[in-house]
Amino acid sequence: MMTKISVCIATHNGEKYIREQIDSILPQLSVHDEIIVSDDGSTDTTISILLSYRDKRIKIVECSWANSPIKNFENALNYCSGDIIFLSDQDDIWLAGKAKTMIQALETNDLVMSDCYVVNEKLQPLHQSLFFINKARTGFWKNLWKNSYTGCCMAFSRKVLNKTLPFPKDIPMHDQWIGLVGELFFRTTIINKKLTLYRRHDSTATRTGYKSSYDLISKIKFRFKLLKNLILLYR
C-alpha cells in the first residue's frame, strides 16, 4: 500500500514567497500526495497564485480564525488525509531530498525533525544551523523548558497527529505541543542534515536568535499550561 504524504501550509498574505515554496515542494511529492493550504483571510494574490498551478494536489481551505497561526495550522491538519504529515511555512524553501530523507527516518520513528539553514528574505545566510541556535536535541524536559521543535522542520505519522488534535486552547506554540506529545507517547529523533532554507524577515510570526521578551513568570505559566494539557491526554 502506497504511503500518502500531506504537507500542511498556513498562509496569510504570502504572495511574496509562496510560489518559491510550492515550487520546492511539488517535485518531491507523488501524484497521490497533497498540499493542504489553510488561508487566514489573505487580501493579496496568495490564493490566485495557488490556483494558477491548476494542480489537484493543492487543496485550499479557509480558516475562520483571524491572526492565529496556531488555529491556521490546526485547520490545515484537520483536512489532511495522509499517512505522513509535514508542516510547512509559506515563505521557506525545501531543499532537494527533504521529503525522501525524512520519510526514511519515519520508518523507525513516529516524529522526526531536521536541521535547516537560517536565511534572510533574499536567501542570504544568517545562521548555518538552527539546531546550533536552539541547542536542539530530543528529550521531554529539555523541550518543555527550551523548545527544539520548529514546525517547518518536522514530519510525523498520522498516529501522532491523532494524539495532538484538537489543539488545546491555551498552548503557546503548536509545534512545541506536537513535539512534546511525540516525546511522551511516541518515538522521536532528529536529523542533523539541513533540509530547509528557513527564511526570517520582518513579517515572520516568530523571531530566531532573539532573546524571548516574556518574563520568567510568563514562561513558567506557559510550561504549566503545556503540562496540564499533556496530563489530560493520559485520561
Side-chain angles (χ1 to χ4, degrees), residues 140 177 180-181 184 226-234:
F140 176 78
W177 168 250
L180 290 174
V181 170
L184 273 183
L226 285 165
L227 278 173
K228 175 200 69 176
N229 287 296
L230 289 165
I231 290 170
L232 291 174
L233 289 183
Y234 278 98

Side-chain angles (χ1 to χ4, degrees), residues 168-235:
K169 295 179 180 179
D170 54 353
I171 55 172
M173 294 184 289
H174 63 280
D175 40 14
Q176 185 178 21
W177 168 250
I178 296 170
L180 290 174
V181 170
E183 291 286 355
L184 273 183
F185 298 98
F186 302 100
R187 296 168 298 175
T188 66
T189 192
I190 61 175
I191 301 170
N192 287 312
K193 188 173 182 181
K194 302 174 185 72
L195 300 175
T196 306
L197 298 181
Y198 182 46
R199 191 170 349 218
R200 304 287 82 193
H201 50 86
D202 291 341
S203 300
T204 49
T206 58
R207 306 299 298 274
T208 301
Y210 287 81
K211 186 176 181 180
S212 173
S213 60
Y214 294 108
D215 59 28
L216 180 61
I217 298 299
S218 296
K219 292 178 182 178
I220 292 172
K221 286 181 178 179
F222 288 155
R223 273 69 180 180
F224 270 114
K225 289 177 180 179
L226 285 165
L227 278 173
K228 175 200 69 176
N229 287 296
L230 289 165
I231 290 170
L232 291 174
L233 289 183
Y234 278 98
R235 295 183 177 179

Side-chain angles (χ1 to χ4, degrees), residues 2-6 30 32-34 59 81-85:
M2 182 172 292
T3 299
K4 182 177 181 179
I5 298 170
S6 293
S30 77
H32 305 286
D33 299 330
E34 64 184 8
K59 303 172 183 178
S81 60
D83 309 292
I84 292 175
I85 295 90

Side-chain angles (χ1 to χ4, degrees), residues 34-70:
E34 64 184 8
I35 299 176
I36 304 295
V37 180
S38 177
D39 187 74
D40 178 10
S42 290
T43 55
D44 63 0
T45 61
T46 298
I47 300 301
S48 60
I49 290 171
L50 293 168
L51 292 174
S52 72
Y53 282 87
R54 300 183 182 277
D55 193 313
K56 293 182 179 179
R57 292 173 294 178
I58 301 175
K59 303 172 183 178
I60 305 168
V61 295
E62 182 181 352
C63 180
S64 58
W65 291 79
N67 302 315
S68 175
I70 294 176

Side-chain angles (χ1 to χ4, degrees), residues 104-153:
Q104 287 175 342
L106 284 168
E107 292 176 2
T108 53
N109 294 277
D110 304 301
L111 186 153
V112 299
M113 182 176 64
S114 62
D115 199 1
C116 64
Y117 297 103
V118 184
V119 299
N120 65 14
E121 61 180 8
K122 297 180 180 179
L123 303 182
Q124 296 167 331
L126 297 175
H127 301 284
Q128 285 298 307
S129 169
L130 183 63
F131 277 9
F132 179 81
I133 296 171
N134 289 343
K135 298 180 173 58
R137 64 179 187 272
T138 57
F140 176 78
W141 294 108
K142 187 275 176 195
N143 286 287
L144 177 64
W145 183 250
K146 175 64 175 176
N147 182 45
S148 299
Y149 287 100
T150 302
C152 68
C153 298

